[in-house]
Amino acid sequence: MSPSVPLQEMIRAIRSARTQCEERGVIQRECAAIRAQFRNTDNEGRSHNLAKLLYVHMLGYPAHFGQMECVRMIASPRYSDKRVGYLGAMMLLDEKQDASLLITNSIKNDLSHSNQYVQSLALCTLACMGSAEMCRDLAPEIDRLLRSSNSYIKKKAALCAVHIVRKVRELGELFVPSARSLLSEKNHGVLHGAVVLITQLCERSPETLERFRKTVPDLVQIMKGLVISGYSPDHDVAGVSDPFLQVRILRLLRILGRHNEAASDAMNDLLAQVATNTDSTKTVGNAVLYETVLTVLDIKSESGLRVLAVNILGRFLLNNDRNIRYIAMTSLQKIVVTDHIAVQRHRGTIVDCLKDQDASVKRRALELSLALVSASNIRSTMKELLIFLSSCPPELRAHAASGIFNAAERYAPSQRWHIDTILHVLTTAGADVRDETVPNLIQLITNTSELHCYTVHKLYRALLTDISQQPLVQVACWCIGEYGDLLLKGECQETEAVQVTEDDVLDALEIVLQSHMSTPTTRGFALTATMKLSTRIIDNVDRIRSVVSIYGSCIDVELQQRAVEYNALFKKYDHMRAAVLERMPVIQKNSVGQTNGEVGEETVKESQAAKVAQKEMALPPQPAGQVCDLLDLLGGSQEPLQPSSSLGGAASTQPTTAGGDLLDLLGGLEPTPPTPAPAVTVYEKNGVTLTISCEQQSDSGLTVTLTASNSSDSDISGFTLQAAVPKSVQLQMRAPSRDSLPANGAAKLTQLVILNNPNKVNLKMRIRVSYTSQGSAVQDMVQVDSFPGISAAGL
Amino acid sequence: MMRFMLLFSRQGRLRLQKWFTAISEREKKKIIREMTTMVLARPPRTCNFLRWKDLKIVYKRYASLYFCLGVEDEENELLALEIIHRYVELLDKYFGNVCELDIIFNFEKAYFILDEFLMGGEIQETSKQIVNRAIESSDMLQEVRCMKTHTHPTAF
């Protein structure tokens, strides 16, 4: 075919432009010329102009002014015009453009054209960009073409029918009879189209699937012909006869055999034959084998065949070709739950793949290894996983760490092994572990009382080596604070003891306190640990006192507050210090997977509150009153501007300290009873739910608690509540616990509203909710007329 | 089914784009950008399959051109590689030792060949000879300057 000279000249001109700016200039000139040409009704160069425009379009420049030209070209009687016109239609028009409707008539005419190549253009375009209306319009035409005697047209009509069925499901019924008859064709192209059409029909409608089950013997016959038949040069690819058709038939067999014993039985022999006879030295053969394996595993095949399939996957795992290893692991992943034992046999190879160069293969190997962990192989697998963790790509670290934790939790052969494993992970990948790891580990350590000595020694050593991994440092500080006395004793059964002095220990903590690498949370841990040691050491209490008072003027509000409180503990409440700082009780063991730090905290708070409340009774009333005053200062009424001083604030900024925090201890003494009042939902929109519950505090006083949560998949930020009440009612809003709502209810937001209704009017409240969800601001107003927990007739 | 096929050079210039579903221009541009960045960033000895959103991306490099196929989840990735290879073979047969310049200067022919091989996101013809013969015949037809149009009366 003679090349389009004007087109090629333009392409050359564009390519010789040296800068982007120059290129834009050339293109603008060309587009102007093309636009002028379009207005001209000259017949000769029309297809060249449109082709030029299509090239410009491919470079990314706007070409919508060519749409009408496409329509005109398609209607032209010349084949060269039609060819480019239809190409333009496929590139520039889509079903959303109005111009696409204009070509419906041309397509209709061309579908019955005398020349098959014109028909083919129309069929191709319809299959590419046919809208639902066009499909409905032209479906009977297509069905007619499916019955034509020309195989060239038949195969195209079949794929066109596939597109129609995708667009308009109901039209599937129309094509069922023709599809059935097409299966007896000899032409591979038509056969392929027929199989695709039948697959599409079966996927869309279960009744049709039932009807087509009868075709299984025919399909088996065709496959046998392909597999056993001699060399056919027309369709052979590296020794496999028409792999494309084979794969499609296998996929159709899969759909027909699923959940159906009879159909699965009928194809058993064939699948075994394909699995054993296909040459697996080239990719082509492996493609067919892969499809066979997928089919075997999906239908109700007999166990021998399943084992054969899994073995093929095992062979794939040892293949040199990285692609084949990758897909083997993807398939094994799908069946690891159902055929666990069969996959276990290949565990060694899978674990070896952790060392592969390719990141995708590594990822698959990691997921599979984690799925294959069991009580019997936990030790060896964990060894490999820990080696992997130290050299794994950064994007996989978090996943690997959490997978290791889960596996360790489920199958840990001993407590010590468990703690060792967690410590190992924290040392290698400490920055990537989830936030809940720290409280979980602390809980685990507390519960293993026999290993306290061992743990604190290990952690102390780890702390001396490296203080950059925050979770590790936090746990280490906490342990040293709790079990510092065991460390100082200098003897340990499980491991070599360190001989440290009190100064050494305090030095270590001070380094953490002063290091620029420590986050504020870590610093908090370190300060509290230092304070706790004041009851566990003998000589250096003064040093602790001085450290604590220095931090009383720290810029960080959190640290400052802690230091001030500890100072107070030294000065005014020295008699209470020993009791307050004594060893933590065994934390309530939460169920496996329960990692909500807040829940753990509450149970601790309650048990702590109970314990200390008892002590409070024993104290003379005067100091108790003073304690309450102190508490009011900390957890009671303040302006909402002070961010961390309200109780709710403290609870949310320190979710990682599972009850080890002095503040929470004092908070537990708050006079407000923790019993939950009945909550009523007043607002539900965009996944945000707002509930209110009330407690009557006194004759005219009422505390309303507003709780908000977010059940949608995206985070909500900038969440604020404003409330208005009738004139005679006094309202005071406390600071909210947080200002954002993470997705999927990860955390709740609470805000207290104190109302005083001295005139006992009918209480109503209007609440304005404002937040940002998925980038857009939302503001809503809610009216609350009745308050749960109080009588409807007002206070 | 296949969702799209893209051909781009090592510098990220697009040479061919075929879309098998109806999506907006903006969406197309976005996908092209993401595909080119993702595929060009892949280190040399890695496997040819990627996951992107809910699609599998199969890509292969032939000389200076990257062939990138976006397929749905149930497609066979190894077969997708074969599809790409078959298309390259068809181009090679037509142009005779095809190179990137052939595809640049004769892009409309590359599309015509693709349209004889794939249609509606599925394979249309599994025999190389039949595809080649169809292209040759269409080309010859294009040479004919005038063509009579007589439509059969639609008797069916």
Side-chain angles (χ1 to χ4, degrees):
Chain A
M1 175 189 151
S2 58
S4 160
V5 174
L7 169 65
Q8 301 203 329
E9 271 176 15
M10 184 195 82
I11 296 177
R12 219 167 272 128
I14 292 175
R15 281 171 64 79
S16 58
R18 271 162 301 160
T19 63
Q20 183 80 315
C21 189
E22 220 180 300
E23 182 183 287
R24 265 201 297 273
V26 173
I27 287 180
Q28 266 176 1
R29 275 197 305 277
E30 288 289 342
C31 282
I34 294 170
R35 261 192 291 252
Q37 298 272 17
F38 283 169
R39 281 191 281 270
N40 195 344
T41 49
D42 176 282
N43 268 328
E44 282 304 314
R46 274 170 76 191
S47 59
H48 301 307
N49 287 322
L50 188 55
K52 280 196 219 174
L53 184 61
L54 293 178
Y55 182 80
V56 164
H57 171 74
M58 190 155 58
L59 290 178
Y61 295 89
H64 42 269
F65 57 88
Q67 287 175 5
M68 284 316 291
E69 185 66 10
C70 291
V71 177
R72 258 177 263 137
M73 297 276 274
I74 290 172
S76 152
R78 295 173 60 180
Y79 180 68
S80 52
D81 287 350
K82 278 189 195 283
R83 220 178 179 194
V84 182
Y86 274 115
L87 179 64
M90 284 191 273
M91 283 176 75
L92 300 178
L93 296 173
D94 57 42
E95 55 183 45
K96 297 193 182 72
Q97 312 283 356
D98 297 326
S100 64
L101 290 171
L102 298 170
I103 63 173
T104 313
N105 210 32
S106 297
I107 294 182
K108 196 177 204 158
N109 290 336
D110 284 336
L111 280 177
S112 0
H113 201 275
S114 56
N115 189 304
Q116 65 177 6
Y117 297 109
V118 175
Q119 283 179 303
S120 122
L121 286 176
L123 283 165
C124 193
T125 311
L126 182 60
C128 179
M129 43 79 71
S131 64
E133 296 86 52
M134 284 164 78
C135 289
R136 261 187 266 265
D137 231 354
L138 299 166
E141 246 333 272
I142 303 297
D143 190 47
R144 183 180 67 82
L145 289 170
L146 272 177
R147 279 180 268 245
S148 102
S149 53
N150 184 338
S151 13
Y152 181 71
I153 293 299
K154 260 195 284 202
K155 76 179 183 216
K156 291 183 191 256
L159 290 178
C160 213
V162 171
H163 175 84
I164 291 176
V165 174
R166 276 198 196 116
K167 280 281 181 212
V168 186
R169 206 172 184 228
E170 300 80 51
L171 289 171
E173 264 307 307
L174 178 63
F175 297 118
V176 170
S178 344
R180 183 77 184 78
S181 57
L182 282 176
L183 267 186
S184 39
E185 288 283 326
K186 293 287 165 232
N187 180 303
H188 282 225
V190 179
L191 211 45
H192 188 277
V195 173
V196 176
L197 179 57
I198 296 175
T199 314
Q200 196 52 226
L201 291 169
C202 291
E203 276 174 354
R204 299 277 151 164
S205 149
E207 301 89 49
T208 324
L209 186 103
E210 286 298 327
R211 282 153 72 182
F212 273 111
R213 275 229 181 84
K214 300 187 214 103
T215 61
V216 169
D218 298 321
L219 291 166
V220 169
Q221 213 41 45
I222 298 171
M223 267 302 275
K224 276 214 175 98
L226 287 171
V227 173
I228 305 173
S229 73
Y231 177 69
S232 144
D234 230 17
H235 299 104
D236 182 273
V237 181
V240 180
S241 184
D242 207 340
F244 304 108
L245 183 57
Q246 285 195 32
V247 166
R248 267 343 278 241
I249 295 181
L250 284 167
R251 203 180 305 166
L252 179 56
L253 286 174
R254 181 153 84 233
I255 295 174
L256 294 174
R258 225 182 251 157
H259 312 307
N260 187 297
E261 291 273 357
S264 307
D265 280 336
M267 46 180 100
N268 244 320
D269 286 338
L270 168 74
L271 293 171
Q273 199 167 32
V274 176
T276 33
N277 285 355
T278 311
D279 176 20
S280 59
T281 46
K282 295 273 170 62
T283 314
V284 176
N286 285 325
V288 176
L289 277 175
Y290 178 45
E291 197 71 31
T292 317
V293 166
L294 290 178
T295 305
V296 167
L297 294 174
D298 214 9
I299 64 173
K300 290 183 174 291
S301 47
E302 54 180 39
S303 56
L305 196 54
R306 283 188 95 86
V307 172
L308 179 62
V310 178
N311 286 347
I312 292 179
L313 288 179
R315 260 197 353 252
F316 277 179
L317 277 179
L318 299 165
N319 197 305
N320 280 329
D321 189 342
R322 196 163 276 118
N323 294 330
I324 295 179
R325 283 208 298 273
Y326 176 85
I327 56 158
M329 280 202 274
T330 323
S331 320
L332 284 172
Q333 179 111 28
K334 289 194 203 127
I335 58 163
V336 74
V337 177
T338 45
D339 295 75
H340 195 90
I341 307 159
V343 181
Q344 278 281 7
R345 248 179 254 138
H346 303 282
R347 198 180 64 83
T349 331
I350 293 170
V351 171
D352 274 338
C353 284
L354 281 172
K355 304 188 194 98
D356 198 298
Q357 303 274 13
D358 185 319
S360 330
V361 171
K362 270 202 214 179
R363 181 192 301 268
R364 293 268 171 258
L366 173 65
E367 282 168 17
L368 261 179
S369 308
L370 289 173
L372 286 176
V373 163
S374 73
S376 47
N377 59 41
I378 179 73
R379 280 189 198 266
S380 46
T381 316
M382 194 53 81
K383 228 187 310 188
E384 291 291 331
L385 285 172
L386 290 174
I387 296 174
F388 171 72
L389 190 64
S390 40
S391 60
C392 87
E395 62 269 12
L396 288 179
R397 271 218 203 107
H399 186 68
S402 60
I404 290 175
F405 284 151
N406 285 339
E409 201 165 325
R410 281 165 53 198
Y411 301 111
S414 74
Q415 299 275 42
R416 179 174 155 171
W417 181 94
H418 195 177
I419 290 179
D420 276 341
T421 312
I422 299 186
L423 289 180
H424 192 130
V425 175
L426 285 181
T427 6
T428 28
D432 298 295
V433 296
R434 286 204 312 251
D435 291 334
E436 302 96 51
T437 320
V438 172
N440 283 348
L441 180 56
I442 289 179
Q443 183 183 49
L444 181 65
I445 293 175
T446 327
N447 292 343
T448 340
S449 39
E450 61 275 11
L451 287 176
H452 285 168
C453 191
Y454 168 74
T455 318
V456 73
H457 274 96
K458 276 207 88 160
L459 284 170
Y460 179 72
R461 279 207 198 88
L463 193 64
L464 288 180
T465 351
D466 173 26
I467 59 167
S468 61
Q469 308 274 37
Q470 297 306 303
L472 184 64
V473 174
Q474 286 170 9
V475 177
C477 288
W478 189 90
C479 273
I480 294 175
E482 275 295 302
Y483 310 121
D485 47 335
L486 294 174
L487 189 63
L488 292 165
K489 247 194 272 182
E491 55 186 46
C492 181
Q493 297 164 317
E494 312 271 339
T495 178
E496 193 191 305
V498 284
Q499 304 299 329
V500 289
T501 64
E502 296 176 356
D503 271 314
D504 293 329
V505 178
L506 289 171
D507 280 339
L509 288 175
E510 233 178 289
I511 292 174
V512 174
L513 260 177
Q514 291 165 352
S515 163
H516 62 277
M517 289 192 276
S518 305
T519 62
T521 324
T522 315
R523 282 223 183 97
F525 269 92
L527 189 60
T528 309
T530 315
M531 186 61 192
K532 281 190 204 169
L533 282 178
S534 72
T535 47
R536 289 157 175 69
I537 62 175
I538 318 152
D539 299 323
N540 283 315
V541 185
D542 285 325
R543 182 174 168 181
I544 297 182
R545 224 188 282 255
S546 62
V547 167
V548 161
S549 57
I550 289 172
Y551 277 88
S553 42
C554 173
I555 290 180
D556 186 308
V557 178
E558 176 60 36
L559 275 183
Q560 186 191 106
Q561 183 175 355
R562 287 187 191 217
V564 164
E565 287 165 15
Y566 297 159
N567 239 345
L569 207 54
F570 267 124
K571 298 210 172 73
K572 277 203 265 182
Y573 302 102
D574 208 32
H575 51 277
M576 276 177 76
R577 189 161 52 90
V580 168
L581 295 175
E582 74 170 26
R583 190 83 102 220
M584 297 287 282
V586 173
I587 300 174
Q588 285 269 27
K589 182 113 198 177
N590 288 328
S591 52
V592 171
Q594 168 80 291
T595 52
N596 189 343
E598 289 174 356
V599 174
E601 230 185 335
E602 273 163 35
T603 49
V604 173
K605 255 202 269 187
E606 279 172 40
S607 57
Q608 296 271 311
K611 271 190 74 180
V612 187
Q614 286 167 3
K615 292 199 170 53
E616 200 193 354
M617 298 306 180
L619 294 168
Q622 181 69 337
Q626 284 181 336
V627 168
C628 283
D629 284 344
L630 184 69
L631 295 172
D632 280 336
L633 200 67
L634 298 169
S637 49
Q638 295 95 26
E639 299 75 54
L641 293 174
Q642 280 178 342
S644 54
S645 9
S646 67
L647 179 66
S652 63
T653 50
Q654 306 299 323
T656 54
T657 59
D661 199 301
L662 194 63
L663 195 63
D664 295 327
L665 186 65
L666 292 174
L669 293 170
E670 180 95 273
T672 345
T675 51
V680 171
T681 309
V682 294
Y683 171 80
E684 230 172 290
K685 194 176 160 190
N686 294 342
V688 178
T689 316
L690 183 66
T691 62
I692 72 168
S693 69
C694 327
E695 260 145 34
Q696 198 145 347
Q697 305 293 0
S698 69
D699 208 20
S700 61
L702 179 71
T703 307
V704 177
T705 310
L706 301 164
T707 314
S709 64
N710 173 16
S711 60
S712 71
D713 282 343
S714 52
D715 294 320
I716 304 260
S717 60
F719 190 96
T720 50
L721 295 165
Q722 289 162 295
V725 285
K727 275 213 180 79
S728 57
V729 181
Q730 290 149 13
L731 169 116
Q732 191 184 56
M733 285 193 90
R734 295 281 166 81
S737 60
R738 49 191 302 135
D739 71 339
S740 66
L741 287 172
N744 298 315
K748 281 188 162 59
L749 179 155
T750 48
Q751 187 161 14
L752 259 77
V753 181
I754 315 288
L755 298 173
N756 194 17
N757 188 2
N759 298 346
K760 298 211 197 323
V761 300
N762 209 3
L763 197 59
K764 291 195 217 297
M765 193 193 290
R766 210 176 272 168
I767 305 175
R768 187 194 287 174
V769 188
S770 326
Y771 55 89
T772 309
S773 164
Q774 292 175 328
S776 53
V778 182
Q779 232 185 43
D780 281 316
M781 195 84 85
V782 181
Q783 174 115 353
V784 183
D785 292 324
S786 66
F787 288 82
I790 58 166
S791 60
L795 291 172
Chain B
M1 77 178 259
M2 292 170 264
R3 292 273 182 93
F4 56 82
M5 178 184 251
L6 302 173
L7 262 72
F8 46 86
S9 69
R10 271 195 296 180
Q11 287 77 39
R13 306 215 70 168
L14 193 67
R15 298 300 174 206
L16 188 144
Q17 51 173 325
K18 185 75 189 177
W19 304 91
F20 296 110
T21 48
I23 52 180
S24 64
E25 276 296 326
R26 258 184 82 211
E27 194 57 39
K28 284 184 196 172
K29 285 204 163 72
K30 189 159 159 272
I31 293 178
I32 292 169
R33 243 197 335 265
E34 285 187 35
M35 286 301 119
T36 36
T37 15
M38 259 192 351
V39 171
L40 291 173
R42 293 279 280 179
R45 272 177 303 279
T46 47
C47 76
N48 297 65
F49 313 130
L50 288 170
R51 278 218 70 99
W52 180 78
K53 295 203 181 157
D54 61 331
L55 297 178
K56 295 184 191 170
I57 308 296
V58 179
Y59 73 93
K60 189 129 198 252
R61 187 173 142 225
Y62 286 86
S64 59
L65 268 182
Y66 281 90
F67 287 71
C68 177
L69 203 54
V71 302
E72 283 179 355
D73 219 18
E74 65 268 3
E75 287 293 322
N76 185 326
E77 295 101 313
L78 294 176
L79 201 74
L81 278 176
E82 286 303 310
I83 292 175
I84 293 177
H85 191 72
R86 173 59 66 93
Y87 182 49
V88 173
E89 284 178 332
L90 290 170
L91 289 171
D92 197 48
K93 184 79 202 294
Y94 182 81
F95 288 110
N97 267 330
V98 66
C99 63
E100 191 183 344
L101 281 176
D102 289 322
I103 299 182
I104 294 171
F105 281 94
N106 299 287
F107 72 95
E108 78 275 20
K109 311 228 190 67
Y111 276 103
F112 297 148
I113 296 173
L114 190 63
D115 286 336
E116 284 294 330
F117 174 44
L118 304 176
M119 193 164 111
E122 306 282 353
I123 299 169
Q124 195 190 135
E125 178 57 63
T126 54
S127 154
K128 273 190 277 190
Q129 285 86 325
I130 295 183
V131 175
N132 284 327
R133 264 182 261 142
I135 294 286
E136 281 166 26
S137 309
S138 310
D139 284 348
M140 282 202 301
L141 194 57
Q142 195 157 341
E143 296 296 303
V144 175
R145 287 171 55 86
C146 282
M147 205 174 61
K148 297 205 215 18
T149 40
H150 53 90
T151 47
H152 279 305
T154 43
F156 295 91

